[in-house]
Amino acid sequence: MTRSLIFSSVVLFFSAVSPAQPGKDQGQAKQLAIGILGLDTSHVVAFTKVFNDPKASGDLATMRVVAGYPGGTDIPASKNRVQGFTRQLAGMGVEIVDSVPALLSRVDAVLLESVDGRPHLAQARQVIEAGKPVFIDKPLAGTLEDVLAIDALARQHRVPWFSSSALRFGPSVPKGIGEITGCDAWGPCALEPTHPDLFWYGIHGVESLFTVLGPGCVSVTRSKTSGSDLVTGVWRDGRIGTFRGLRIGKAGHGATVFGMRGVAKRGEYRSYEPLVVEIARFFRTGRAPVDPSVTIEIYAFMVAAQESSQTGSKSVTLASVLANARRANKRRR
């Protein structure tokens, strides 16, 4: 099947499962209630400020965050922050509920924001089985097996989902450099021992890399030290893309893009608002701005990088890590 046919099929699929379509009068679109599952990240406050801004326009003006469920896990980044962010959200007028079913009974769509990716499959299962469209924040899951399981579950129940770093929707590559031939992206890469290394924070820079080059990576090699990572991907058409993960020194986000007629830097990340606008459009239409197959490839890239660093920086194919994950999922059914 060609890439264009695959894209057309995905668009038709998401159109068929649209959660809420405006009526004949476009000015009388149904008001959507949004729930947040997992209140242990600063994203819950930042996203709610955008959604619930009284001056919001467009799709943002037709929906509101109304309820949240704290969640939380045993890792410090979760358990040490859930209480504070829950208190902030309650102070913004959002109802705090005591269970996921209680949350789902009050809302039309869900932001799955738990900072720990390991419980995402179990949490997403409840949301998907309830038929609610869901945005799943990074990391999408704690393993590639769970990434594939979430996608399979959503397809089984015909529920739209997507996951993305905010950096995907930042400023675009300047015009004038011609056809893109490669990209070097960089950004912070803090580690969390319960997750594959790049899942935790490197995802932002990796998503920037894929935003520029698109899908089609076939193999990955990685060099790792205590202070940094250098991950090199080879694309099917011969292009090369790199991600430099930084754990020491100044570590902003950025990317250098190489083209047939010039070299340019991708614009700097500025705010969460462009991502939240895309989430709002997704909740309204049921059409994901990022094809799930692209997100799956990004996570396969990061798992291949993990395996490369564990095997003396040998090249690891994305096809091999995906095959291993699918076999593992068959065994655990």
Side-chain angles (χ1 to χ4, degrees), residues 57-69:
S57 60
D59 290 316
L60 286 170
T62 70
M63 54 195 72
R64 185 175 181 84
V65 175
V66 300
Y69 170 67

Side-chain angles (χ1 to χ4, degrees), residues 290-310:
V290 184
D291 190 312
S293 67
V294 175
T295 300
I296 290 169
E297 184 175 323
I298 288 171
Y299 280 82
F301 177 99
M302 294 188 289
V303 170
Q306 187 83 357
E307 290 193 10
S308 177
S309 69
Q310 294 167 348

Side-chain angles (χ1 to χ4, degrees), residues 29 208 264 282-283 311:
S208 288
F282 164 68
F283 284 158
T311 57

Side-chain angles (χ1 to χ4, degrees), residues 134-146:
V134 57
F135 169 77
I136 306 175
D137 214 333
K138 64 88 185 169
L140 172 54
T143 65
L144 183 56
E145 289 85 351
D146 281 3

Side-chain angles (χ1 to χ4, degrees), residues 17-19 30 33 37 99-110 112 121-134 153-154 156-160:
V17 295
S18 175
K30 177 192 173 186
L37 201 171
S99 69
V100 176
L103 179 76
L104 296 175
S105 71
R106 289 162 166 78
V107 302
D108 302 299
V110 173
L112 203 171
L121 174 56
Q123 293 171 333
R125 183 182 302 278
Q126 296 178 77
V127 178
I128 290 167
E129 289 181 348
K132 313 288 184 180
V134 57
L153 189 66
Q156 176 188 345
H157 292 275
R158 297 180 62 79
V159 171

